[in-house]
């Protein structure tokens, strides 16, 4: 991706080629031809395909809605009369959201993608394709968690109650699948009613807003929960409070026939935790 330790300079001849079908990173990106060498200095489509594949796990983490368009603008730049780079703000937004996830697995944000090399927004460049205001200000950019949660079956009522005691919060919620959400990582919305079994340090008015933030920032966890419930459903989630962020560590599908889970919830009102 670099020559003599320096970032590649695209100011020499290039050619337009079809985006290879094997480049999964940029399937259905909105255009079907790319410039080679690309903006990372890859000299052939095969090299671009090979190098781009290493970014697929990050996309699966859903760390930012514009991560794919940012990466494809570099690996498979659109064929116009000139190279169009990503805007600096797009790079910074994706970096700030995705770099913490990369660090979970021991990978730093690469020098080849440093954001100060890209043009400011008032110049010709590729900017965010989502509604930036949805991620700025107090809410911040969405960040997936390092740890996946999985939908699991409740064990005995005793063990479930012990999990409730260890958790900062316990909430029963209903998720409804959205028809279309151009600015949300999550494909589900939160129903009006929440059944809060345990709120911990959270104030009453904070519960809903924090869970809505969790829906956006931990889309991978939500996807795991709803894998067998594609239209949504009712779930019981438990977890910890980390600053303004909720981290769900256990999730159960709420079903009345699940006697262990319903018994634990029924006993919780009068249960006393050991500590």
């Amino acid at each position: 991706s670099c020559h003599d330790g320096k970032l590649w300079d695209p100011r020499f001849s290039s050619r337009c080629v079809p985006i290879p079908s094997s480049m999964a990173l940029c399937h259905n990106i909105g255009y079907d031809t790319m410039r080679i060498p690309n903006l990372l200095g890859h000299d052939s489509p095969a090299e671009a395909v090979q190098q781009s594949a290493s970014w697929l796990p990050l996309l699966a983490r859903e760390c930012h809605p514009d991560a794919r368009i940012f990466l494809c603008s570099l690996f498979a730049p659109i064929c116009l009369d000139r190279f169009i780079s990503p805007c600096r703000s797009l790079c910074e937004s994706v970096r700030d959201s995705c770099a913490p996830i990369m660090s979970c697995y021991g990978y730093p944000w690469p020098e080849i993608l440093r954001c100060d090399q890209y043009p400011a927004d008032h110049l010709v460049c590729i900017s965010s394709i989502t509604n930036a205001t949805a991620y700025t200000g107090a809410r911040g950019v969405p960040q997936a968690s390092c740890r996946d949660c999985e939908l699991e079956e409740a064990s005995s009522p005793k063990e479930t109650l012990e999990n409730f005691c260890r958790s900062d919060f316990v909430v029963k919620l209903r998720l409804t699948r959205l028809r279309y959400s151009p600015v949300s990582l999550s494909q589900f919305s939160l129903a009006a009613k929440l059944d809060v079994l345990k709120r911990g340090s959270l104030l009453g008015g904070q519960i809903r807003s924090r869970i809505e933030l969790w829906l956006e920032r931990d889309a991978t966890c939500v996807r795991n929960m709803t894998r067998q419930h594609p239209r949504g459903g009712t779930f019981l989630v438990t977890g910890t409070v980390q600053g303004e962020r909720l981290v769900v560590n256990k999730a159960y599908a709420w079903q009345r026939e699940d006697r262990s889970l319903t018994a634990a919830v029924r006993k919780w009102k009068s249960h006393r935790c050991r500590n």
Side-chain angles (χ1 to χ4, degrees):
S1 297
C2 10
H3 298 283
D4 299 326
K6 298 180 180 179
L7 296 178
W8 177 72
D9 187 345
R11 290 176 296 180
F12 58 82
S13 62
S14 63
R15 66 188 190 280
C16 287
V17 299
I19 296 177
S21 59
S22 55
M23 186 180 279
L25 180 75
C26 302
H27 278 177
N28 301 317
I29 197 65
Y31 54 91
D32 54 14
T33 58
M34 59 183 279
R35 282 195 175 275
I36 285 293
N38 60 20
L39 283 169
L40 296 174
H42 301 140
D43 296 320
S44 69
E47 184 184 6
V49 168
Q50 180 185 30
Q51 295 297 320
S52 67
S54 63
W55 290 89
L56 292 174
L58 184 67
L59 284 193
R61 299 295 306 168
E62 299 181 289
C63 58
H64 195 284
D66 291 336
R68 187 164 172 261
I69 193 67
F70 168 69
L71 291 170
C72 286
S73 71
L74 301 172
F75 281 99
I78 188 171
C79 258
L80 297 175
D81 57 354
R82 54 168 291 181
F83 276 96
I84 306 295
S85 299
C87 294
R88 188 178 306 157
S89 63
L90 173 60
C91 176
E92 291 172 344
S93 181
V94 172
R95 179 200 62 196
D96 292 348
S97 189
C98 296
I101 305 305
M102 295 173 63
S103 67
C104 293
Y105 302 96
Y107 296 102
W109 187 256
E111 172 68 14
I112 193 70
L113 299 186
R114 75 167 195 266
C115 295
D116 61 4
Q117 67 182 306
Y118 302 123
D121 285 35
H122 66 276
L123 301 174
V124 178
C125 56
I126 298 172
S127 60
S128 173
I129 60 173
T130 58
N131 183 358
T133 59
Y135 305 109
T136 56
R139 300 180 68 185
V141 293
Q143 293 184 0
S145 67
C146 295
R147 180 182 175 184
D148 285 335
C149 70
E150 289 285 351
L151 196 65
E152 55 188 88
E153 294 184 4
S155 51
S156 68
K158 179 181 178 181
E159 291 182 3
T160 303
L161 286 170
E162 289 176 354
N163 174 45
F164 288 1
C165 289
R166 291 192 299 267
S167 301
D168 294 334
F169 66 90
V170 182
V171 179
K172 186 169 73 172
L173 52 86
R174 180 166 182 79
L175 300 180
T176 304
R177 190 174 186 87
L178 297 169
R179 290 185 178 180
Y180 176 65
S181 179
V183 298
S184 177
L185 279 173
S186 177
Q187 296 179 336
F188 295 87
S189 63
L190 186 64
K193 184 179 179 181
L194 291 176
D195 188 359
V196 182
L197 282 72
K198 181 179 182 181
R199 67 177 71 251
S201 61
L202 296 172
L203 301 176
Q206 294 177 322
I207 297 288
R208 185 175 188 86
S209 62
R210 297 288 177 86
I211 291 178
E212 288 176 340
L213 193 60
W214 163 73
L215 276 175
E216 289 190 356
R217 291 190 171 184
D218 207 356
T220 304
C221 177
V222 177
R223 184 183 60 190
N224 290 346
M225 287 170 50
T226 57
R227 187 179 295 118
Q228 298 177 358
H229 305 270
R231 296 184 179 181
T234 302
F235 303 90
L236 189 75
V237 298
T238 71
T240 59
V241 179
Q242 297 182 4
E244 295 185 356
R245 181 177 177 183
L246 301 185
V247 176
V248 171
N249 50 37
K250 288 187 181 294
Y252 312 91
W254 179 260
Q255 299 172 334
R256 292 189 180 276
E257 57 268 26
D258 187 336
R259 295 182 179 180
S260 293
L261 188 58
T262 54
V265 171
R266 186 172 60 252
K267 293 178 179 180
W268 175 248
K269 294 181 180 179
S270 58
H271 183 73
R272 292 186 178 182
C273 298
R274 293 179 181 178
N275 55 353

